[in-house]
Amino acid sequence: MNNVDILEQQVFAARKKLSTQEQLMVNDYVENNSVSPVAAWLLWVFLGQLGAHRFLFKKPYAALMLTLEIIGWVTLILIIGFGFLSAVWIWWIVDAFSIQSWLKESRLQAAYRGINQITGKSVEELSGINYASFNGASFVNYSNQTQQPQQPTQDQQQNNFDPNNGKPINSESVNNQSSSANVEPQQTSDSSSAQSVNDIDGDFTDFSKPKE
């Protein structure tokens, strides 16, 4: 996924959090602050070999394209001049296939700035997607981390209390977690106590069967 795709995902997610009035304001901001398609294509047709369309979109190597064009016309009397001009013409035609994506990127950049100015919040904050850099290497950080439950301490296990809800821990779970702390249930002469111990140590996976 390239930078434009990440930015598009980020802007679309942030726009869903805006009200209708805020979305209309963002649309107006984009229209007034993005590159006009008519201007882009006119510059490419008439001044494209001088790199005018690259200057408009603030793309790299615009000055290099202009320099090669000038050198080509200056050295046209020599054979090498045709080589410079041919390279610029091929470059000029290839750029025609990139103008649409540049227009899309320009509108996304304008929306990115407009959302920040209109809402006072960053696009990352609204969308939940952190976009590190606008032109350089970028990454997306999804902050959907779930909080891990705290493990009970040894003292809490010995006291037979769950730290999360404060309820007593079943003696069977305590025996499984700490094998060294196994405690045998004390047998008493009281029949009710014996019945209680048997109930705790018994298997209740199928409690629908009647007790024998």
Side-chain angles (χ1 to χ4, degrees):
M1 182 180 293
N2 55 30
N3 293 341
V4 177
D5 293 335
I6 296 175
L7 184 59
E8 182 179 13
Q9 179 186 16
Q10 193 179 50
V11 170
F12 282 3
R15 283 177 65 94
K16 295 179 180 179
K17 305 294 181 63
L18 304 181
S19 64
T20 303
Q21 183 65 27
E22 289 175 338
Q23 292 189 21
L24 293 176
M25 294 174 64
V26 170
N27 291 341
D28 293 337
Y29 185 93
V30 171
E31 293 298 330
N32 297 327
N33 294 274
S34 60
V35 176
S36 171
V38 177
W41 284 109
L42 287 178
L43 287 178
W44 177 84
V45 172
F46 296 104
L47 299 174
Q49 296 180 13
L50 299 176
H53 58 292
R54 283 187 166 266
F55 283 106
L56 178 63
F57 287 103
K58 299 180 181 179
K59 291 297 179 181
Y61 308 116
L64 177 60
M65 192 174 188
L66 176 61
T67 302
L68 293 177
E69 180 72 10
I70 296 175
I71 293 175
W73 284 108
V74 171
T75 60
L76 186 61
I77 192 174
L78 304 176
I79 299 177
I80 59 174
F82 290 99
F84 285 110
L85 291 177
S86 298
V88 173
W89 292 339
I90 295 174
W91 192 355
W92 171 58
I93 295 174
V94 171
D95 279 353
F97 298 95
S98 301
I99 289 181
Q100 284 301 120
S101 63
W102 293 348
L103 289 171
K104 177 182 178 181
E105 182 180 357
S106 175
R107 295 181 67 85
L108 289 174
Q109 291 176 356
Y112 183 96
R113 297 189 300 267
I115 292 175
N116 182 276
Q117 293 185 13
I118 293 171
T119 63
K121 298 180 180 180
S122 65
V123 175
E124 291 85 356
E125 182 180 356
L126 292 172
S127 63
I129 304 173
N130 295 329
Y131 189 73
S133 177
F134 200 75
N135 293 321
S138 60
F139 62 91
V140 177
N141 180 20
Y142 293 92
S143 56
N144 293 331
Q145 300 177 355
T146 57
Q147 185 177 4
Q148 298 295 334
Q150 297 181 353
Q151 297 295 334
T153 62
Q154 185 176 1
D155 294 338
Q156 291 170 337
Q157 291 178 358
Q158 292 177 357
N159 293 332
N160 296 339
F161 282 96
D162 192 322
N164 295 325
N165 51 29
K167 295 181 179 180
I169 300 177
N170 190 290
S171 61
E172 182 178 358
S173 62
V174 175
N175 293 333
N176 292 334
Q177 294 177 358
S178 177
S179 59
S180 62
N182 290 331
V183 178
E184 294 293 336
Q186 297 180 357
Q187 298 292 337
T188 62
S189 58
D190 191 353
S191 59
S192 61
S193 300
Q195 180 66 25
S196 176
V197 171
N198 292 333
D199 288 346
I200 295 177
D201 293 340
D203 184 9
F204 286 90
T205 56
D206 189 5
F207 50 84
S208 61
K209 293 181 180 180
K211 296 181 181 180
E212 294 181 358

